[in-house]
Amino acid sequence: MVRERSPESWRVLTVPNAISFARLLGVPVFLWLMLGPVHYDLAAVVVLAVGGGTDWVDGYVARRFDQGSRLGQLLDPLADRLYILATLAALTIREIVPWQFTAALLAREVVVGVWLPVLRRYGYGPPPVHYIGKTGTFVLLMAFPTLLLSAATSGTVHTWAYAAGWALGIWGLALYWLSGVLYLWQIFSLIREARQESRV
């Protein structure tokens, strides 16, 4: 990883950025469906499944058609985090997931997040997104609509969705924390290198 330089492209009007913006618009729609005066859980499942299932699409389009941009690099993880935070908030408020699960996910964000300003003081931006982190995010974004489906149904569908949702949720939580440990290792390595350079 190199120190931050001027972004090579701040293009806005690209297909990947449009996809990311569309995903961002899905967040308030999902919250309204979940927490509004009337609950539309099955519709919320669809919105969440589409938002999570298209997580890889913007990146693929950017690489395939050479439409990568600095804005896109910021929008994609922003959309991921907003979906995770919004979904966690809604599912916790509705008591579909326990607060302990939510706290475990948020703790990872806090642990990594407190070191980013320190890293920036040494001239570095956030570490690049690791594939383990992307995988963990994708698994979580599949776990949430599955857990919501289990809450919105009964019988066999409920049983299978509940089991599958928690299997995905626990797996995603483990991957999310593993990626957090890797980010911390990157951050500490960069800080150590910067300090060594300053002594030369």
Side-chain angles (χ1 to χ4, degrees):
M1 182 178 175
V2 296
R3 284 187 169 85
E4 283 188 309
R5 297 175 182 172
S6 297
E8 59 184 36
S9 175
W10 278 98
R11 289 181 295 177
V12 175
L13 300 178
T14 67
V15 174
N17 288 350
I19 295 172
S20 295
F21 277 121
R23 292 183 66 222
L24 286 170
L25 291 175
V27 174
V29 173
F30 168 77
L31 288 175
W32 181 80
L33 292 171
M34 284 288 293
L35 303 176
V38 180
H39 298 158
Y40 299 96
D41 289 352
L42 291 178
V45 169
V46 174
V47 172
L48 193 55
V50 171
T54 54
D55 176 36
W56 63 275
V57 175
D58 47 5
Y60 171 79
V61 172
R63 292 187 298 271
R64 178 68 177 81
F65 298 100
D66 192 26
Q67 293 190 358
S69 66
R70 179 59 178 160
L71 179 60
Q73 293 172 2
L74 297 174
L75 283 177
D76 183 41
L78 174 63
D80 291 344
R81 277 170 172 74
L82 283 179
Y83 263 103
I84 288 176
L85 293 175
T87 306
L88 277 175
L91 295 183
T92 305
I93 291 170
R94 292 279 304 277
E95 299 184 343
I96 295 171
V97 300
W99 67 265
Q100 293 91 337
F101 183 82
T102 301
L105 281 173
L106 294 179
R108 184 268 195 191
E109 291 294 318
V110 172
V111 168
V112 175
V114 295
W115 284 97
L116 295 181
V118 179
L119 190 62
R120 189 169 292 278
R121 279 174 40 200
Y122 288 94
Y124 293 101
V129 177
H130 197 279
Y131 77 92
I132 293 179
K134 289 293 291 181
T135 302
T137 298
F138 180 77
V139 172
L140 286 171
L141 290 176
M142 291 297 97
F144 294 149
T146 308
L147 289 170
L148 179 55
L149 179 64
S150 75
T153 56
S154 59
T156 303
V157 174
H158 165 79
T159 301
W160 283 99
Y162 185 86
W166 277 114
L168 290 168
I170 294 170
W171 181 30
L173 177 62
L175 290 174
Y176 210 56
W177 264 102
L178 177 58
S179 69
V181 171
L182 292 175
Y183 288 140
L184 289 177
W185 181 81
Q186 288 179 283
I187 289 170
F188 294 155
S189 296
L190 291 170
I191 292 174
R192 184 170 57 251
E193 290 175 7
R195 286 176 175 173
Q196 288 173 349
E197 291 176 4
S198 66
R199 293 172 186 160
V200 176

